[in-house]
Amino acid sequence: MYQSGKQALRFARQSGMVVLVLLAGAMSWAQQQQRPPAVPLVTHDPYFSVWSMADKLTDENTKHWTGAQQPIAGLVRIDGVVYRFMGATPRDVPAMQQISLTVKATSTNYVFESAGVRLSVSFFTPAFPQDLAILSRPVTYLSWDATTLDGKSHQVAVCLDIDPRIAVNSADQPVVWGRSRAAGLKVLNVGSQDQRPLNRSGDDLRIDWGYFHLAVPEKEEATLVAAPRALQVFAKSGTLPDADDMEMPRSAHGGAAHLAVLVPGNVAAGQTVSRHVLLSYTEGYAIEYLNRKLKPYWQRDGQSTEDMLAVAEQQYESL
């Protein structure tokens, strides 16, 4: 019986090891294969909520969680050749090869490679439940790192383009746009002409009051413009339109301006160039409670949009 007991114990240990190995292998495989039904990009609240609903970030345009189009497009120009890394347009521009996608608690991270350059793109929303001030702040950081893969230096320029549909319920609503500044930031803004906060309820709705903000650190030495077809101009020439288009209001279907930023950079061999921008949406009123329209929590002390963006930029590295 003693010998049988030792054999049984040995078998149990070996079986347990096999089970652990199988479980570890299954978890590793699952992690490698993971792709959620919709990939979170901007996840602040039901209104400020942008997702990728495709296997690759370049397969489709980004969308609101309801499925409505809210395109955020990204192109990168490497040594004069243009590639897409976000969005499905322009269709005649080839997509970078997507190497990986990782979704974490507060960030979504993509890695792309083409033409001897690795581009790591991250959407980071600091949704820390222990800090209500930061949790309520309507800011998502979009950052990218460019690294050489072939031991050579490369000229790399990134262009981001925000469709004005991000600020309205439907593409036929007229919008207005403009510029502003915050401490250390240059800002482009877009919002509906008809500001009617909390004017209706339902599920298949997008926010159409308040303003979307594309904030870019002044140290990035970036070029900003509010103009239609900015993405197409960059794809063709590597530049942006010379001036803002001020013919407004117009609807997204009627040629309204897009918010675009061009960030140049030279990536030397063995080095990484890092850049980031802030995506934000602010509204005067966020909820109606007991027949009272209430402001967002981040405005509890009367903080302005410019001050909020400035603080968000100041805290970027620590966050």
Side-chain angles (χ1 to χ4, degrees):
M1 291 180 61
Y2 176 71
Q3 187 66 25
S4 299
K6 288 179 65 178
Q7 291 174 343
L9 181 60
R10 186 182 301 113
F11 176 76
R13 287 174 175 171
Q14 291 173 345
S15 299
M17 290 297 293
V18 171
V19 170
L20 288 174
V21 170
L22 290 175
L23 284 174
M27 291 174 64
S28 176
W29 180 87
Q31 291 171 350
Q32 292 174 7
Q33 300 300 315
Q34 176 182 343
R35 204 285 281 174
V39 180
L41 304 178
V42 177
T43 51
H44 182 74
D45 61 33
Y47 288 131
F48 188 34
S49 178
V50 183
W51 302 69
S52 173
M53 300 180 184
D55 290 334
K56 297 180 179 179
L57 191 56
T58 52
D59 285 348
E60 297 180 357
N61 288 333
T62 58
K63 299 177 181 179
H64 186 258
W65 71 265
T66 58
Q69 295 264 338
Q70 289 191 334
I72 301 176
L75 299 182
V76 58
R77 197 175 185 94
I78 304 173
D79 300 326
V81 180
V82 182
Y83 302 88
R84 278 184 294 119
F85 67 88
M86 179 161 47
T89 55
R91 276 294 184 185
D92 58 344
V93 173
M96 292 191 82
Q97 181 183 3
Q98 182 173 310
I99 303 301
S100 66
L101 161 64
T102 306
V103 179
K104 299 182 179 180
T106 58
S107 67
T108 293
N109 308 289
Y110 289 91
V111 177
F112 304 90
E113 291 180 359
S114 286
V117 172
R118 173 177 293 148
L119 188 70
S120 302
V121 179
S122 175
F123 292 83
F124 168 54
T125 302
F128 304 146
Q130 71 274 20
D131 192 325
L132 290 180
I134 295 175
L135 178 65
S136 68
R137 184 186 296 158
V139 172
T140 290
Y141 302 94
L142 170 53
S143 63
W144 59 93
D145 298 333
T147 308
T148 63
L149 297 174
D150 54 8
K152 301 177 181 179
S153 298
H154 295 278
Q155 290 185 339
V156 178
V158 170
C159 178
L160 296 174
D161 179 283
I162 314 293
D163 191 291
R165 280 177 282 181
I166 203 166
V168 288
N169 180 55
S170 59
D172 60 351
Q173 292 179 262
V175 298
V176 294
W177 55 89
R179 292 174 177 256
S180 61
R181 299 185 77 89
L185 295 167
K186 296 184 287 187
V187 188
L188 293 176
N189 317 286
V190 64
S192 65
Q193 180 191 28
D194 186 13
Q195 294 280 318
R196 294 189 297 142
L198 303 170
N199 61 83
R200 57 190 181 277
S201 61
D203 289 330
D204 189 15
L205 291 174
R206 275 66 53 192
I207 194 168
D208 59 1
W209 67 91
Y211 295 89
F212 175 86
H213 313 280
L214 170 61
V216 182
E218 291 180 342
K219 63 183 180 182
E220 307 287 22
E221 298 182 353
T223 301
L224 286 78
V225 71
R229 300 189 59 78
L231 205 63
Q232 289 77 6
V233 172
F234 174 79
K236 183 177 180 180
S237 66
T239 62
L240 291 179
D242 294 333
D244 294 344
D245 186 333
M246 300 307 294
E247 186 180 338
M248 61 177 124
R250 276 186 284 172
S251 67
H253 280 170
H258 289 216
L259 309 185
V261 57
L262 166 59
V263 184
N266 295 321
V267 185
Q271 295 185 348
T272 298
V273 174
S274 301
R275 299 286 187 266
H276 73 275
V277 300
L278 284 65
L279 310 178
S280 179
Y281 204 115
T282 59
E283 73 273 50
Y285 293 96
I287 190 171
E288 185 173 305
Y289 180 69
L290 296 178
N291 297 318
R292 292 180 59 200
K293 292 182 178 180
L294 303 177
K295 294 182 178 295
Y297 182 78
W298 67 268
Q299 292 187 16
R300 65 198 180 282
D301 297 324
Q303 188 178 47
S304 68
T305 296
E306 290 75 19
D307 289 341
M308 180 272 294
L309 291 173
V311 172
E313 171 59 19
Q314 292 165 9
Q315 295 181 350
Y316 171 67
E317 292 294 341
S318 61
L319 290 174

